[in-house]
Amino acid sequence: MSTDGTKDSPEANPNKQLAEAILPLVGGAANVTSVTHCMTRMRLGLADRSLVRDEPLKALPDVMGVVEDDTYQIVLGPGKVARVTPEFEALVRTAPATAPASTSASTSASTGAEAAESALASASGPAPSGLSGTRTAEDLAAEGAAIRATRKEKNATPVKLILRRIANIFVPLIPALIGCGIVAGINGLLANAGWLPTLTPALAAIASGFMSLIAVFVGLNTAREFGGTPVLGGAAAAVIVFPGVADVSAFGQKLAPGQGGVLGALFAALLAVYVEKACRRLVPSAVDVLVTPTVTVLVAGLVTLFGLMYVCGEIATGIGHVADWLLQHGGAAAGFVLGGLFLPLVMLGLHQALIPIHTTLIEQSGYTVLLPILAMAGAGQVGAAVAIYLRLRRNTSIRKTIRSALPAGFLGVGEPLIYGVSLPLGRPFITACVGGAFGGGVVGLFYQLGTSVGSTAIGPSGWALFPLLKGNHGLGAIAAIYGLGLAAGYLVGFGATYFFGFSKQMLSELNAPSEAEAEAPDPEGGPSSEGPSPEPPQPGSPSPSPAPAPTGGSGSLV
């Protein structure tokens, strides 16, 4: 920090500035009970949800949307979230913790919200004029929030809650998967070109080191998620990757290091958690520090060696065979179904079951062939959003939302478009799924023809997936096929939405003229103070359809 404080000023640190704008809008530091983040969202635990001011929060320029689930999730996008979250955590830690959340948090929310709204207004100009008789982006956002709340309630089943906890185990591993995947791609390019031969072995070690020990990280996260001691879960899972297991036989076969993979590690650590908890209840406290860790590691290790490694190894092998068979024999049809159904799976909360499957495929072959197909769902959403933008020429509110969300949509962050636009509208969500289906069909067809397109990591989508592509052919061919799938998703999603995404009644309601447009011309029929005057209406005729552009510039289409 410089003596004049330049480095720490909000102007010099936009991430801190955004964190400072968000904090009062979520009720202040006293209302925040936990702060974490995933690839695109900052996830907050809140003491009192009613203290959050959703609309000013969503109006912040760098906030792409909010999602309510087990935590309050603010969508900031890849990269941005990793920079804003530490700043937000620092603000929460350093804020006074003595004031009650119900009073101080609400007060800070009010004052901070006013400041944020004022800053936003000065930056973006006057707000668009209100729409009379039509649905605005705020209406769609409210409908999207209601849909999310309903989905959350329906998804709170035992099976889906377990799937969510499994996702919590694997999501923290995604940054390492992405980093190592990109390093592996760079290493492959250098090796194929014959460049820097002394560097490629080092890059191979960097890219492979994490994957060789991923079972340990899965064990740590599993124990942490289910309430055990993380290091004991990691110790139980580490048995799987120990080279000495090659000397152990189970079910009449020699074990291989890594057999069972992440699935074996998950179940080994989960068993360790239950053994540890049982020991805590039964073992006297005087000897707990000696007995509980020993019994936990011993029991979980033996069961892992003589049961879990073999069984989970067979399951993992089966997953690989099923994925390969499905795309080899199903081809375009399988890709069509997978690409078209992914967004409904997300709505049902079942997509989280795919995370360990992706990780298992990456562990086995170095890439998952399912992710590029599922990523086509986002392409369908983008195409649908462009069609909505063109069809709703008078709805400046929804068009503004689409303009702000499209860049994130191209990078694979689909929540703002899904929950803020297509899903509340209904039919455009279905036509977007059709676009995703056709994109997935293109990628699946090429798999059947002999070219597999995979990803070395999970998490990114859209254009952000290009650096992680890998398959059984050169990177150029794989990238071309993936790009062709994206193009198909964009075009079909656009066409299906443009021609079939709206009924006449929907278009009439959503394209209703604004209040300014609906006003009759001045009594003297004179020209408007801005721009050319429209033709004077005939007596008894309605207002002319082509109304003047809204004032203030915020409704500009450019």
Side-chain angles (χ1 to χ4, degrees):
M1 174 179 173
S2 62
T3 56
D4 60 0
T6 303
K7 288 187 177 180
D8 290 335
S9 66
E11 293 76 17
N13 189 344
N15 300 312
K16 184 177 181 181
Q17 182 182 26
L18 179 57
E20 290 173 340
I22 290 174
L23 183 58
L25 297 179
V26 296
N31 195 40
V32 178
T33 59
S34 65
V35 184
T36 58
H37 74 88
C38 59
M39 286 298 300
T40 60
R41 311 175 189 179
M42 183 165 66
R43 300 169 179 255
L44 306 180
L46 300 174
D48 186 351
R49 170 64 180 84
S50 66
L51 297 179
V52 178
R53 302 190 63 183
D54 298 279
E55 294 310 317
L57 178 61
K58 287 185 285 188
L60 292 175
D62 289 311
V63 173
M64 301 176 182
V66 298
V67 177
E68 288 194 68
D69 208 329
D70 52 332
T71 55
Y72 190 82
Q73 302 169 15
I74 303 172
V75 184
L76 300 175
K80 189 70 173 178
V81 69
R83 292 170 171 82
V84 174
T85 301
E87 299 287 353
F88 187 87
E89 287 180 297
L91 292 175
V92 172
R93 283 196 307 267
T94 57
T98 56
S102 59
T103 58
S104 64
S106 59
T107 303
S108 63
S110 175
T111 57
E114 292 169 0
E117 289 170 324
S118 175
L120 178 65
S122 63
S124 58
S129 57
L131 297 178
S132 175
T134 187
R135 291 155 75 192
T136 66
E138 289 74 19
D139 297 326
L140 296 187
E143 293 178 28
I147 293 171
R148 283 196 297 270
T150 303
R151 178 178 65 89
K152 178 181 177 181
E153 183 178 351
K154 290 182 178 180
N155 286 348
T157 63
V159 172
K160 292 174 182 176
L161 290 175
I162 286 293
L163 291 178
R164 185 178 300 162
R165 300 191 78 172
I166 291 175
N168 291 340
I169 294 169
F170 288 93
V171 166
L173 305 178
I174 291 177
L177 286 170
I178 293 173
C180 294
I182 292 178
V183 172
I186 295 172
N187 183 63
L189 290 174
L190 294 176
N192 292 335
W195 297 342
L196 302 176
T198 57
L199 180 63
T200 51
L203 294 180
I206 294 171
S208 303
F210 172 73
M211 289 305 302
S212 67
L213 295 175
I214 190 172
V216 178
F217 294 97
V218 170
L220 289 166
N221 289 347
T222 300
R224 183 180 293 111
E225 176 66 24
F226 286 91
T229 302
V231 71
L232 293 180
V239 173
I240 292 174
V241 297
F242 177 59
V245 299
D247 299 325
V248 180
S249 297
F251 297 94
Q253 297 181 13
K254 289 281 189 180
L255 296 177
Q259 186 174 341
V262 295
L263 296 179
L266 191 156
F267 287 112
L270 188 60
L271 175 61
V273 169
Y274 284 108
V275 173
E276 179 189 359
K277 288 182 176 180
C279 288
R280 301 289 185 201
R281 291 193 305 268
L282 301 175
V283 174
S285 58
V287 293
D288 176 80
V289 69
L290 297 175
V291 174
T292 297
T294 304
V295 173
T296 299
V297 172
L298 180 62
V299 172
L302 289 173
V303 174
T304 299
L305 287 169
F306 294 106
L308 290 177
M309 285 186 66
Y310 177 83
V311 172
C312 292
E314 293 298 306
I315 294 174
T317 302
I319 289 173
H321 288 327
V322 168
D324 183 67
W325 182 90
L326 183 66
L327 292 176
Q328 273 194 352
H329 295 80
F336 188 93
V337 172
L338 290 171
L341 290 183
F342 182 64
L343 287 180
L345 286 178
V346 172
M347 300 304 302
L348 295 172
L350 298 177
H351 66 294
Q352 294 165 336
L354 297 171
I355 297 178
I357 294 176
H358 287 312
T359 309
T360 297
L361 292 175
I362 293 172
E363 193 177 31
Q364 285 181 340
S365 58
Y367 55 89
T368 169
V369 294
L370 296 180
L371 184 60
I373 293 175
L374 301 178
M376 297 302 144
Q381 282 292 325
V382 169
V386 175
I388 295 169
Y389 186 89
L390 295 179
R391 291 289 264 170
L392 305 184
R393 294 185 180 276
R394 287 190 171 182
N395 199 316
T396 56
S397 178
I398 293 177
R399 285 161 67 91
K400 181 179 179 182
T401 297
I402 293 174
R403 284 199 305 270
S404 64
L406 265 181
F410 279 110
L411 292 175
V413 182
E415 293 93 343
L417 289 176
I418 296 171
Y419 290 111
V421 182
S422 67
L423 186 59
L425 289 175
R427 285 172 64 165
F429 179 77
I430 297 174
T431 53
C433 292
V434 173
F438 274 87
V442 169
V443 179
L445 174 63
F446 278 95
Y447 191 101
Q448 192 173 20
L449 296 176
T451 303
S452 62
V453 178
S455 170
T456 57
I458 58 178
S461 184
W463 293 1
L465 198 62
F466 275 105
L468 296 168
L469 292 177
K470 186 178 180 181
N472 59 354
H473 287 76
L475 180 59
I478 295 166
I481 294 172
Y482 180 71
L484 189 62
L486 286 178
Y490 295 149
L491 292 174
V492 176
F494 173 86
T497 305
Y498 192 90
F499 294 107
F500 306 106
F502 299 92
S503 65
K504 290 183 179 179
Q505 181 179 356
M506 288 175 64
L507 284 176
S508 176
E509 293 175 353
L510 293 166
N511 264 328
S514 67
E515 291 176 354
E517 294 171 329
E519 289 176 355
D522 61 55
E524 318 217 338
S528 169
S529 60
E530 294 182 8
S533 172
E535 288 290 332
Q538 297 299 322
S541 66
S543 299
S545 177
T551 61
S554 59
S556 172
L557 305 184
V558 183

